[in-house]
Amino acid sequence: MFNPKFTSTTKMINSLLEIQRASVVIEQLPLPVDILQQLQKEAKETTVLLSTRMEGNDLEDEKKRRALYKNSNVEDEQEVYNLMKAIDILDDSEQRGLPVTEEWIKKLHAIIRISHGGRPKFSEYRMEQNKVGDRNQSGFYLPPEHIDVPILMEDYVAWLNSPKTHELPAPIRAGIAMWQFLTIHPYMDGNGRVARMIATYILRLGGYGLKRLFVLENFYDRNLSDYYKALQMGLSHNYYFGRNDADLTPWLEYFLGGLAEVYSQAADIVREKNAELLRVEPDLIRQLDIQQRQLFRQLVFKQDEITTPEIMILLGMGDRTAREKVKQWIGSGFLQPKDPNAQRIRSVVLSHWYEELADVIRENPQQYNYLLSKGDY
């Protein structure tokens, strides 16, 4: 049974904190739906351009862009198109909440790989030995013999879906999943693309999807040599000489550090786009912080009044904090008690000024669509 070994280090913890901070920024700062969709499209296309380049596709970026959305008889162009289709599978799987299974992995690989004639629905594992690393400077690697691949993949998927594994933070799960898949190397080609997609999918399901705005490959593409060296971790080139029982701490430090970097970049983009909106939006909205915006959106689009317990759930805060916030927001003119004469505040509504603005927004929702949360459109 696969049972990865690693030690939580200060470096890993700091990276996790940075990842969490970036996630909060992206999840809570509002963007217009059209801008969000454009950024998602750009992230998806960049993922394909970089991922195929990392795997040796030397097609010029402009030619790759033309190949993103159409079949081709040219292998390098078809490889680009296939990876775009695979990301569509990722999107669909996320919406349906599908788990990572062997069948799911085989289906993903079948879409990614180049095939001539009829395309199989599922890719079977390799039936011969493979040698990895001829293209990079970090040395070659001999993965496990093909006869051992089925049981290793069975253990791999069992680990991914075990309750104990899900106690780990999603970024750590994603890092381990990526390393172990590349270590098993179950296919003759396409392993890198599938491994990074599995890591991306685990992050999405674990609440670190960043609205599909991050590109994992952005970090690795800058220095492929460091990427391959990090995967090697100074271990033997032979799977059976220590790699099957390796301490993954060095790899996880590298993986989480890279993830923190690309997440922070995505957060910077969202901050920049949001700042552009703030310069043109109504003064009353511009004055609101992230929590107030979330509450305002709730009272504009979903309910007319809200209780303190409901605010606790909506904003993820404790009872005392919620009550202090309510008092503060009443004092600043954002909220007012539903019953001004009640001795105890049980529920609140938007103040007169904000309710007037809410009426305008309800009459012109498209003009203010950046205020909408995912469930509102």
Side-chain angles (χ1 to χ4, degrees):
M1 181 67 181
F2 177 54
N3 186 25
K5 297 188 302 185
F6 68 92
T7 301
S8 293
T9 65
T10 300
K11 186 176 181 180
M12 288 166 58
I13 293 170
N14 288 338
S15 293
L16 286 171
L17 290 172
E18 192 172 343
I19 290 166
Q20 182 63 38
R21 283 193 292 268
S23 299
V24 170
V25 168
I26 291 175
E27 289 301 323
Q28 294 192 354
L29 284 181
L31 284 178
V33 175
D34 57 340
I35 292 179
L36 178 60
Q37 290 175 342
Q38 179 60 34
L39 291 175
Q40 290 172 336
K41 180 174 181 288
E42 291 173 5
K44 184 176 179 179
E45 293 178 352
T46 301
T47 295
V48 174
L49 297 182
L50 295 182
S51 188
T52 50
R53 185 165 70 194
M54 287 175 64
E55 301 302 326
N57 187 321
D58 296 325
L59 203 64
E60 296 176 0
D61 280 358
E62 188 55 40
K63 290 183 178 179
K64 282 185 180 180
R65 290 187 184 280
R66 290 199 295 266
L68 287 168
Y69 300 100
K70 62 179 181 179
N71 276 300
S72 174
N73 293 324
V74 179
E75 284 201 358
D76 282 352
E77 293 178 354
Q78 186 64 30
E79 182 181 54
V80 170
Y81 175 78
N82 288 353
L83 192 54
M84 280 293 282
K85 298 299 290 182
I87 296 178
D88 288 339
I89 293 294
L90 221 63
D91 294 344
D92 178 69
S93 297
E94 181 188 3
Q95 290 177 353
R96 298 163 62 191
L98 299 180
V100 177
T101 64
E102 286 190 78
E103 183 179 272
W104 186 86
I105 292 171
K106 290 179 176 181
K107 180 179 180 180
L108 197 63
H109 185 267
I111 294 170
I112 287 174
R113 69 187 292 267
I114 298 292
S115 61
H116 300 282
R119 180 190 297 276
K121 188 175 181 181
F122 302 103
S123 288
E124 296 304 324
Y125 301 137
R126 59 183 166 86
M127 294 300 294
E128 57 185 285
Q129 181 57 289
N130 195 1
K131 182 180 177 182
V132 186
D134 286 339
R135 290 194 308 104
N136 64 70
Q137 305 298 316
S138 59
F140 71 94
Y141 165 56
L142 290 176
E145 296 178 5
H146 71 88
I147 195 171
D148 291 332
V149 168
I151 187 66
L152 288 171
M153 286 301 296
E154 185 178 311
D155 286 350
Y156 172 73
V157 168
W159 176 81
L160 279 177
N161 293 291
S162 72
K164 184 177 179 181
T165 298
H166 280 269
E167 293 175 2
L168 297 172
I172 290 179
R173 278 187 277 135
I176 294 172
M178 182 171 162
W179 191 89
Q180 181 64 4
F181 188 89
L182 290 170
T183 297
I184 298 171
H185 232 74
Y187 296 105
M188 295 302 292
D189 59 15
N191 294 283
R193 279 160 281 173
V194 174
R196 291 188 293 274
M197 292 187 77
I198 291 173
T200 296
Y201 188 60
I202 290 170
L203 289 166
R204 288 187 183 186
L205 291 185
Y208 289 84
L210 271 70
K211 298 181 180 178
R212 304 179 186 175
L213 297 181
F214 75 95
V215 179
L216 197 58
E217 286 78 1
N218 256 334
F219 178 72
Y220 307 131
D221 179 69
R222 291 182 201 129
N223 195 326
L224 274 178
S225 180
D226 283 353
Y227 168 60
Y228 291 124
K229 286 179 181 177
L231 285 170
Q232 293 280 24
M233 293 196 302
L235 298 170
S236 167
H237 69 278
N238 191 311
Y239 168 79
Y240 298 99
F241 295 165
R243 195 175 294 256
N244 59 329
D245 192 33
D247 182 346
L248 303 188
T249 304
W251 161 254
L252 287 175
E253 286 187 339
Y254 176 83
F255 177 84
L256 294 174
L259 196 62
E261 188 172 313
V262 297
Y263 272 41
S264 295
Q265 289 172 347
D268 287 342
I269 292 172
V270 171
R271 284 193 189 96
E272 180 182 343
K273 296 294 183 182
N274 179 259
E276 293 174 4
L277 291 172
L278 294 181
R279 288 194 287 270
V280 299
E281 69 182 359
D283 288 340
L284 284 175
I285 296 179
R286 193 181 310 157
Q287 296 169 14
L288 302 180
D289 61 26
I290 291 176
Q291 290 177 329
Q292 287 174 302
R293 285 171 177 269
Q294 193 171 352
L295 182 54
F296 180 68
R297 183 169 58 237
Q298 186 78 5
L299 291 171
V300 171
F301 296 109
K302 291 191 174 181
Q303 58 193 100
D304 296 326
E305 61 185 82
I306 192 165
T307 64
T308 302
E310 288 173 332
I311 291 175
M312 290 167 54
I313 295 171
L314 177 67
L315 302 181
M317 57 178 57
D319 178 75
R320 182 176 178 179
T321 301
R323 294 187 184 282
E324 289 176 352
K325 286 286 186 181
V326 167
K327 289 181 181 178
Q328 176 185 331
W329 292 336
I330 290 174
S332 67
F334 171 50
L335 301 175
Q336 65 184 41
K338 182 186 177 184
D339 182 359
N341 299 317
Q343 292 185 347
R344 184 177 180 183
I345 300 173
R346 299 187 179 277
S347 62
V348 291
V349 296
L350 291 172
S351 67
H352 171 72
W353 299 110
Y354 278 97
E355 185 57 37
E356 283 190 349
L357 176 59
D359 287 338
V360 173
I361 292 172
R362 293 182 191 114
E363 292 174 3
N364 304 277
Q366 292 305 313
Q367 184 178 345
Y368 299 90
N369 59 7
Y370 67 91
L371 287 169
L372 296 170
S373 63
K374 186 174 180 181
D376 293 320
Y377 56 83

